[in-house]
Amino acid sequence: MKPRPAEAIALLLLLAAGPQAFAQNTASLTEGGALFVLLPVGGRAAALGQAAIADGGHSEAAFWNPAGLALLEETELAVHHAVTFASNNTALSGYFPVSGLGVVGFSAYLVDLGSQEITFGPDLPRGRTSPKGIELLASYATTVASDLAVGLNYKLIQFRQDCSGDCGSSRTVVGTTHAVDLGMQYGLANDAVRLGFALQHAGFKLQLENEGQADALPTRVEFGIAYRVMLPQPTGAEEALDARILFDVQDEWGHPDNPDARVGLELGYGDLIRLRSGYAFLQSEGRGPSIGLGMRLGRFAFDFARVFFASSNLDEPVHISLRAIL
């Protein structure tokens, strides 16, 4: 059974932003509403311990470092879904390489925190509240030099609590704001080493009640590196064997004193099969190991991840991504 919406939001704050934000933001449903944008998106990145700032060539990059979209060579349509202890999260993406221009596309992301009946007296339901987080992205990425890629997201972010029926004081509230993500990636040694930088969720405050109550967006600065090495090829192998190590550091914009670290390892047989694992060294209940699998058969790809919380008894998330390469 999922927690009630009020409990779910409190738990998400603890998972995404740590104990300090949890203590400051559980007073009401409307506080800290934009923190849902910190939840990981995609079976690929989640399996790699969320180390994705120097990764690219797929639609997930829009949620981590938009510069990684510049490596996309073919049109990709994708569905990314996660089942967590408190919510069901779904992202729909479509990205399109345009000759001479770069890569353009869009994503829509929904975090559904379920619903809760409002009762007056014993077992007399009168209404229902349904809190949700919504994020819409428009992305552009391109290669400005042979080894340098840049990317940009414009984002509309909305947190809403809808009411149907008689909800008493728990009325419908909606807050909408705007933000951008900026990213860069630079390849070295024939792209065996890739460096990444991203500024995420930089924008206006999210206001639900009044200007004084408005919450700043959880702006983050991230640096990452990915190192790829080719492995000895078995006799008769049709695909190349390789291994990648990825490492990221993330910190809050303006408060560079408590960084999070993330590390991922990937072993692959071409694009046919990719084995992944990672560890997220986070200052929150979201820290812990992860494992996953990626497969591609023709024009279709599948990514799966399971996350294990190191110090929590919460149900652990499962991430699934389905991609069509056109």
Side-chain angles (χ1 to χ4, degrees):
M1 178 181 296
K2 290 186 182 298
R4 293 180 177 182
E7 299 169 339
I9 292 174
L11 290 170
L12 283 176
L13 291 172
L14 186 59
L15 173 65
Q20 182 177 2
F22 175 80
Q24 294 173 348
N25 287 286
T26 55
S28 74
L29 286 175
T30 60
E31 292 181 323
L35 283 171
F36 74 89
V37 301
L38 297 179
L39 298 176
V41 176
R44 181 182 178 116
L48 291 169
Q50 304 178 39
I53 300 305
D55 197 13
H58 48 82
S59 60
E60 279 186 37
F63 294 94
W64 300 92
N65 183 350
L69 293 170
L71 302 182
L72 193 65
E73 297 178 349
E74 299 176 283
T75 294
E76 181 172 300
L77 306 178
V79 179
H80 309 290
H81 183 67
V83 178
T84 79
F85 59 87
S87 63
N88 286 318
N89 312 332
T90 303
L92 304 177
S93 300
Y95 288 94
F96 315 92
V98 179
S99 179
L101 179 64
V103 176
V104 296
F106 307 89
S107 290
Y109 179 42
L110 171 67
V111 174
D112 186 351
L113 291 155
S115 62
Q116 178 181 356
E117 287 187 343
I118 304 297
T119 59
F120 297 87
D123 302 322
L124 295 175
R126 301 281 295 277
R128 182 178 295 273
T129 60
S130 302
K132 297 178 177 66
I134 299 169
E135 185 179 32
L136 304 178
L137 292 76
S139 309
Y140 173 69
T142 189
T143 300
V144 296
S146 59
D147 299 312
L148 178 64
V150 296
L152 169 70
N153 288 332
Y154 159 75
K155 304 197 294 187
L156 184 147
I157 298 171
Q158 183 178 94
F159 182 84
R160 59 186 303 126
Q161 177 182 269
D162 294 310
C163 166
S164 59
D166 183 2
C167 297
S169 60
S170 300
R171 59 183 176 83
T172 294
V173 291
V174 179
T176 302
T177 190
H178 306 269
V180 296
D181 300 330
L182 302 172
M184 294 189 300
Q185 289 186 353
Y186 186 73
L188 299 168
N190 294 322
D191 223 28
V193 178
R194 195 158 189 87
L195 308 177
F197 163 81
L199 175 66
Q200 297 180 312
H201 324 306
F204 302 102
K205 291 183 177 181
L206 180 67
Q207 179 177 325
L208 288 161
E209 297 289 348
N210 53 63
E211 186 175 353
Q213 173 273 337
D215 294 316
L217 294 181
T219 306
R220 297 292 188 266
V221 179
E222 302 197 56
F223 298 90
I225 182 171
Y227 174 67
R228 180 183 182 186
V229 58
M230 303 306 298
L231 301 177
Q233 304 302 299
T235 302
E238 297 181 359
E239 301 283 348
L241 291 175
D242 70 283
R244 292 198 311 151
I245 298 175
L246 302 94
F247 179 77
D248 286 2
V249 176
Q250 178 198 78
D251 213 338
E252 184 179 355
W253 175 261
H255 302 280
D257 54 0
N258 198 22
D260 290 331
R262 301 161 174 170
V263 62
L265 174 64
E266 181 178 55
L267 300 175
Y269 180 62
D271 291 328
L272 182 62
I273 187 165
R274 313 290 297 182
L275 303 178
R276 301 175 179 126
S277 64
Y279 199 100
F281 297 90
L282 308 181
Q283 307 297 321
S284 75
E285 291 297 308
R287 65 184 176 274
S290 55
I291 59 173
L293 170 70
M295 299 181 65
R296 178 171 174 176
L297 297 174
R299 292 289 181 175
F300 297 94
F302 166 82
D303 298 295
F304 167 83
R306 176 68 183 269
V307 178
F308 303 90
F309 297 144
S311 59
S312 174
N313 58 2
L314 299 172
D315 292 339
E316 291 150 334
V318 173
H319 295 257
I320 295 175
S321 294
L322 301 175
R323 298 181 287 128
I325 299 92
L326 306 179

